[in-house]
Amino acid sequence: MAWKDKCLRSLMDAKLFLSSAHMDRFKETWKTLKKQPFCTKGLCKCLFLSAWDQEHYQFLKDTVDEMITRKDTDTSYMLEKGRVVLDNVALSERELFKLSIQFLENEGVTPDDSCLMKLAHHWVPITDNTLEAGRLIDRLE
């Protein structure tokens, strides 16, 4: 069984989703995303992080839909959009976008938790869980 087929169940078994809404948003897009040629473990980590709230989730979902329409085969378009957003968001959000960019640029590597110190307190739980989810996703084969 491929890592994509194990991913959702592994995240659920590890109880890493912070709410049912978080899990439902992830599941909704994962069904489509895992079938795409540009689906990577890094993109899966981005989905986990963005699914925490509706605003960030919608940004990722819209970008994925654009990538499908464009028939993209890699995540370069998502990286480009993420870099543009960096200059237009508050500090904590900037750190979250930087983390997402790291996920996409360094496939199979989850950063350490030093980024948590740069976040507003309300972003720490989801980011901490995302790092744990990232380590779990990295181990899937």
Side-chain angles (χ1 to χ4, degrees):
M1 186 182 297
W3 75 269
K4 293 176 188 178
D5 298 319
K6 299 175 192 173
C7 184
L8 178 58
R9 175 57 49 203
S10 297
L11 292 169
M12 291 172 58
D13 289 349
K15 300 183 182 344
L16 291 171
F17 293 101
L18 295 178
S19 70
S20 58
H22 181 210
M23 183 174 61
D24 290 346
R25 284 188 287 263
F26 181 92
K27 285 167 61 172
E28 177 185 331
T29 297
W30 184 243
K31 283 188 268 182
T32 302
L33 182 61
K34 73 180 187 175
K35 298 173 187 170
Q36 301 307 314
F38 55 81
C39 182
T40 64
K41 290 180 177 183
L43 187 50
C44 181
K45 296 173 197 179
C46 292
L47 174 58
F48 185 89
L49 177 60
S50 71
W52 168 244
D53 76 346
Q54 186 62 41
E55 178 185 353
H56 294 94
Y57 169 71
Q58 195 61 53
F59 177 82
L60 182 130
K61 186 176 182 318
D62 290 347
T63 303
V64 166
D65 290 344
E66 289 173 38
M67 293 168 70
I68 291 169
T69 300
R70 292 164 41 100
K71 300 186 182 339
D72 286 354
T73 58
D74 61 37
T75 58
S76 58
Y77 180 70
M78 182 166 280
L79 274 166
E80 179 183 318
K81 283 189 77 167
R83 288 184 182 114
V84 168
V85 171
L86 277 178
D87 296 329
N88 302 312
V89 293
L91 183 60
S92 284
E93 277 188 290
R94 189 174 309 128
E95 292 304 317
L96 297 177
F97 275 93
K98 284 181 184 177
L99 182 60
S100 293
I101 288 169
Q102 286 181 314
F103 289 153
L104 296 174
E105 288 181 333
N106 303 304
E107 193 61 37
V109 177
T110 296
D112 64 28
D113 60 2
S114 61
C115 64
L116 298 175
M117 302 304 292
K118 301 173 186 173
L119 298 171
H121 71 280
H122 61 278
W123 285 109
V124 171
I126 184 55
T127 306
D128 191 38
N129 273 40
T130 299
L131 294 173
E132 184 61 32
R135 289 186 283 273
L136 183 149
I137 293 165
D138 288 340
R139 290 190 302 268
L140 294 176
E141 295 183 18

